[in-house]
Amino acid sequence: MNVKGLAAIVTGAGSGLGAVTAEALAAAGAKVALLDINEDGLQTVAATTGGLAVTCDVSSAEAAEAAVAQAREANGPCRDLVNCAGIAPGKRIVGRDGTMPLADFEKVIQVNLFGSFNMLRLAAADMLAAEPLEDDERGVIISTSSIAAAEGQMGQAAYAASKAGITGMMLPAAREFAKKGVRVLTIAPGLIGTPLLLNMPQEVQDNLAGQVPFPHRFGKPEEYAGLVMHLVENVMLNAGSFRIDGGMRMQ
């Protein structure tokens, strides 16, 4: 798909992977709607991309419906959705202070998994109703999973479960939408140099980066965004999950 002139939605666009992905889509000529709860970050990214900033909690049905409607009114029906919104708190199931509160587990599932599904269902409705483009394609949906979906570490039970759910819903969605020309894909990043990692002590960063077989460093957000652009542009890529991790296997 050539995104020039087409409407795209990026969640988690106020920082990190979402911000860089929004910049890549905008540079390719897409009309980008930026969704995030981080209002300050949204305004910064909107200023650099010319995108539409929409404050939105993706785990809320009402907020997401309103955001997609606002994006549609401004840019037309969504043709590209990239789900980057997510949280990654770490907590053991049974720790020094007792068992993990169920509400903590639920929060991660709500934001990461429910939020991704919430946006997927709304964007897909736009795409399925839109006119076909080249190759009879109507749209592309890319959600962000993690290598933790298959290799979660201690303290990642909620996060790993949420990301495994994202990977798990990809194939059924791709099968459902394929007949109407909508592709569904998942990206599973390893260690990417977002503020979450770069704010850690340097010795911790060095230890983590040393676990990456090659190259011995964190991935760059621009490398994630580059993969997004390739997935969007290559119509033969569908119903797949793509690791971007330098060959890392979490211990």
Side-chain angles (χ1 to χ4, degrees):
M1 176 184 289
N2 182 347
V3 300
K4 187 173 182 179
L6 298 180
I9 295 176
V10 180
T11 72
S15 64
L17 299 180
V20 176
T21 298
E23 290 169 359
L25 285 163
K31 296 182 288 186
V32 186
L34 317 165
L35 274 58
D36 206 312
I37 59 172
N38 176 2
E39 295 187 25
D40 291 341
L42 275 181
Q43 295 305 322
T44 298
V45 179
T48 60
T49 62
L52 172 71
V54 184
T55 304
C56 176
D57 174 2
V58 296
S59 67
S60 163
E62 296 78 10
E65 288 165 8
V68 171
Q70 185 177 344
R72 185 189 308 115
E73 180 68 22
N75 298 335
C78 179
R79 296 289 194 165
D80 299 292
L81 168 68
V82 185
N83 278 318
C84 292
I87 57 175
K91 184 168 289 188
R92 294 191 180 217
I93 300 168
V94 182
R96 293 178 180 176
D97 299 326
T99 59
M100 177 182 184
L102 189 58
D104 290 355
F105 184 91
E106 182 180 16
K107 177 65 174 178
V108 178
I109 300 298
Q110 283 281 352
V111 175
N112 294 358
L113 180 55
F114 287 14
S116 293
F117 177 79
N118 194 18
M119 293 303 304
L120 178 149
R121 71 186 180 96
L122 297 172
D126 260 17
M127 296 173 189
L128 295 172
E131 291 297 315
L133 303 167
E134 185 179 1
D135 287 318
D136 289 330
E137 187 175 18
R138 285 183 167 86
V140 184
I141 296 169
I142 300 172
S143 295
T144 305
S145 180
S146 167
I147 63 172
E151 302 162 14
Q153 297 176 304
M154 286 189 296
Q156 287 190 318
Y159 181 73
S162 71
K163 295 301 186 177
I166 289 172
T167 300
M169 72 181 178
M170 176 267 298
L171 182 56
R175 285 173 163 162
E176 179 178 342
F177 304 149
K179 60 186 177 182
K180 293 295 290 288
V182 174
R183 296 184 288 126
V184 184
L185 302 135
T186 302
I187 296 177
L191 299 176
I192 306 294
T194 60
L196 179 69
L197 286 179
L198 298 180
N199 287 332
M200 292 181 174
Q202 189 61 50
E203 65 180 272
V204 175
Q205 292 186 44
D206 293 343
N207 177 268
L208 289 171
Q211 298 177 33
V212 181
F214 183 81
H216 304 303
R217 61 169 174 81
F218 297 150
K220 300 175 182 178
E222 292 79 8
E223 291 167 331
Y224 171 94
L227 178 55
V228 168
M229 296 306 297
H230 180 70
L231 296 179
V232 169
E233 292 165 359
N234 191 331
V235 73
M236 285 302 294
L237 297 178
N238 190 19
S241 184
F242 298 84
R243 294 177 67 120
I244 178 167
D245 60 8
M248 183 177 182
R249 298 296 182 267
M250 300 179 79
Q251 309 212 354

